[in-house]
Amino acid sequence: EYAGQILDALERLLAAKPFTELTMDDIARQSGLSRSALYFYFASKEAALGALHQRTYAAMARTTDPLTQAGDATEASMRRAIDEVCRNWREHTAALRTFHETAMVSPDFRERWDDPASRERLLDLVRRVEREPALLGVSPHLLAVGRR
């Protein structure tokens, strides 16, 4: 529960201030916890950002689960998944921006950002659409043109 409270506070702070300017004191104050309590859950602000990254991307990945796991690849389910991904991007804009910026300067964080499992899930979805372009109401010809 407290870990989630800390991550929520970090995400709110990222909307107002760059990650490089944040301190553990800022995060503790925003989360309503003591600094020592914060350190019980996260050894550093980078560790907290890593946990926020995991939580955010797990939520985003779940939006495509019905398409990749249950085989529910109808046009309506594809559109719902796309809408949900877009909603997640809007909801987590500051965090996503921070993940991208941090990955550009931190090799350790870049490794987390470049998650092969997430990339493979996306590729599976793209392959499905390529095999069944009618799912998105796109003609096979249009997909072929888009790949050139």
Side-chain angles (χ1 to χ4, degrees):
E1 174 186 322
Y2 289 125
Q5 185 177 331
I6 293 165
L7 298 181
D8 292 343
L10 175 56
E11 190 162 11
R12 285 190 304 274
L13 285 167
L14 291 173
K17 196 174 192 181
F19 180 69
T20 54
E21 295 178 18
L22 291 179
T23 66
M24 289 293 271
D25 284 332
D26 294 331
I27 300 168
R29 201 170 18 262
Q30 179 72 33
S31 65
L33 298 172
S34 69
R35 192 167 179 220
S36 60
L38 177 62
Y39 277 106
F40 176 80
Y41 290 96
F42 300 104
S44 66
K45 69 179 190 175
E46 290 79 9
L49 185 67
L52 180 61
H53 175 265
Q54 283 184 312
R55 182 179 82 170
T56 303
Y57 273 87
M60 292 183 83
R62 282 192 300 272
T63 63
T64 60
D65 282 349
L67 304 174
T68 57
Q69 293 173 357
D72 180 23
T74 63
E75 181 178 345
S77 63
M78 294 286 277
R79 291 193 187 285
R80 276 193 308 275
I82 291 168
D83 288 345
E84 190 64 19
V85 167
C86 291
R87 185 192 62 75
N88 274 304
W89 274 93
R90 284 188 302 274
E91 185 177 317
H92 302 289
T93 299
L96 293 166
R97 181 195 67 239
T98 302
F99 302 153
H100 178 71
E101 291 169 351
T102 305
M104 292 175 67
V105 297
S106 167
D108 290 338
F109 197 84
R110 185 176 318 120
E111 216 171 277
R112 273 190 220 133
W113 174 269
D114 190 25
D115 175 37
S118 296
R119 187 174 43 249
E120 192 57 37
R121 288 170 62 98
L122 178 61
L123 288 173
D124 285 345
L125 192 55
V126 169
R127 286 183 200 112
R128 174 172 275 167
V129 170
E130 285 181 332
R131 283 192 311 270
E132 304 173 57
L135 293 172
L136 292 179
V138 176
S139 75
H141 173 72
L142 189 57
L143 279 180
V145 170
R147 274 182 261 166
R148 290 185 199 159

